[in-house]
Every structure is written in C-alpha cells, then in structure tokens.
Amino acid sequence: MIRTKLEGGVLEIELCREPLNEIGTEMLGALEKVDLGGARAVVLHSSLRQGFCAGADLRELYHAGKGMKPAERRKGVREFLGRIHAFLNRLDEAPVPTVAAVHGAVFGGGLELALACDLIVADRSTRFAFPELRLGLVPGFGGIPRLKRDVPNSLVRDLLFTGRSINAEKALQAGLVSQVVAEGQALRAARATAAQMAKFDPATAAAAKRFVKPFPRAELEKEMELFLELFERPVVQDALRKFVEDKGPMPYLP
Amino acid sequence: MRTQEQTESELLDLAAAHFKADRKTLRPEDDIFEKLGIDSLQALELLTRLERHFGVELPDYELQGVSDFRTLAERIFVRL
C-alpha cells in the first residue's frame, strides 16, 4: 500500500494501492505510520500506472456508512477527517521541503494530498480535479484553503464549481505546479529537485519554509465543518450510491 | 485552419495510435468506449492527448453524453 525509502537524505513515500491509491482507513493507517524524521527532503509519488491518487475511498465511505444511524455516521466521518487532517498538517508543516511527483489522475483527496506538499512536479499526462461538488460535497481534506493559498481565486472557483479537470500545462500556468515534464519523468525530476533542496542547511530551509508557507489553520477547520454539514444530506448519500453502483465505463457524476 | 472533417480524421488517427486500434476499422459514428474498449481513466488520457494535439481546453462536462467520435470532433472543432 505504501513503501518508503530513505536515500541520500531524501525520503521517498511510494503509494501503491490498487486501483488508484484511494484513501480509506487502511491507506490512512499506512500514511500515519510514515516517519518523516531523518529526512532532509521528501518525495511523495505513486507507482501505479493510472495515476497519483483518486482521492477518498468513496466505496468504503458509502458501504461503511450505509447501515449506520446519521449520528454514528457523522462521528465516524469526523474521526476519519480528523486523522487525515492530522497527517496532512504534519506533511504541510514538515520542517523539510516536500515534493509531490504526480501523473495521471490527481483527483479530490489526491489533489489535497499533493497540495500539502511544498512543490508539485507533474508529467504531461496529469489531470487535476476537485469533483466533490458533483457529489453534493466540498473537498474535506483541506483542499480548498490549500488551493487558495497557491492559485488565483478564479481558478479555485472554476475547479470547485464545475468539477472539471485541468491538464498539467494549465496547472503550471496557474502556479499550482512548479514543473511539467515528459510522461513518466515526474519521479526523476522530483528526485533531482529534492536532492538539490536537501543540500542546504536544514535549519535555514526550515526557517525559510516557516516564513514563506502560511498554514491556514482556521480555514482548514472551517472546511471540515462545512464538509460534515453537507455530508449528512440525502442528496449526498444518493449521489454516493449512484456513483458506487454505476458499473459503466464512466461512473455516475452529474 | 482545420475543417470539421480534418478534425474528425485527426481525432480518429490519434485515438487509433494511442489505444493501438486499427485505424481502418474506426468510423466517425462508432461508439468511442465500445470501439476502443476504454474506461473512465483511459477517457481522461484521451482528453489530455486531444487537448495537447489540438491546443484547446476541453472541459469534462462538455464531453458528458458524448459517445461517438463525430460528436467529440464537433466539440473540439468549436473550440479551435
């Protein structure tokens, strides 16, 4: 599900859960165990051909919550969100530089994961999307405040309100991505970038990061509350059911 | 400036090359998913290839309900 490798001061975190690194309780448990200590830079990547990460495990979310009473379901979702926020906050505020090497689908929670990193290196096959509104939700892993931190609000509105995906070149123009490379080359470029960043004095790198990377704590909490408020509505449960039950080549999304 | 027919033909060339299909068997009225045997993730790959090849942006929602190559070519053509 997750493999880690520390080499030359660079910690590589490899996501490898079929079909597309969906973040459910197991994946979250594996992420929580990742120790960033000892690293001077971090690279996060996926070894799956299809892409980086498709986001939250909607099938698990739907099936786990199906037999529960609303209060119980809300409690479970809150607990899960609290844990994923704790991990992403740890990654976001890590005292070392972090790079997400992405390709293919970087959707929903996958984009939220990449956004917690300091830099995103994308190959030309990459597509970024926040499809949550198509299911009656907003991103819940801290994606809105983190996206707002990096790109113009017009693009935040575009991605959120339409649920559409954008390619790597568009993401580069908007400042979401720092480098675009040829297909299959994101990890190589991210390794080179991390190795460069790992050369510098760690205390200086940590101080520079604290100085230039704002941490939107209040907004992250607000987003979580908004997600929980929206999640309980029948329209969301109905959309999740349609999405999970759709076996067609294009799963249901309005 | 491409014509609609050229757009259609280039789309078929590109789909055949990317998904290793026999170009001679692809027709504009064919169902894209059925003919190429692709899923939603592969459809995204195609979308990215098309955007790069034609130099346009194709929002996913514009492609909803589009199942054949001819209609897809029309959606591309209006953005050229």
Side-chain angles (χ1 to χ4, degrees), chain A residues 201-212:
Chain A
D201 171 57
T204 310
K209 180 162 166 174
R210 280 196 305 274
F211 187 64
V212 301

Side-chain angles (χ1 to χ4, degrees), chain B residues 1-2 8 10 18 21 24 27-29 32-33 35 39 41 48-49 60 64-66 70 72 80:
Chain B
M1 181 78 182
R2 290 177 177 95
E8 205 170 87
E10 285 178 42
H18 184 63
K24 293 193 288 290
R27 289 166 309 179
E29 60 275 21
I32 300 166
F33 293 95
K35 196 74 184 183
D39 59 22
L41 287 174
T48 305
R49 301 255 166 201
D60 316 42
Q64 270 181 338
V66 173
R70 176 162 290 145
L72 178 54
L80 290 174

Side-chain angles (χ1 to χ4, degrees), chain A residues 190-225:
Chain A
R191 278 178 177 148
T193 305
Q196 167 67 9
M197 296 192 294
K199 286 178 193 166
F200 305 147
D201 171 57
T204 310
K209 180 162 166 174
R210 280 196 305 274
F211 187 64
V212 301
K213 194 181 185 193
F215 185 74
R217 191 175 305 279
E219 284 223 315
L220 288 167
E221 284 164 13
K222 272 189 204 166
E223 186 204 78
M224 197 197 306
E225 292 308 318

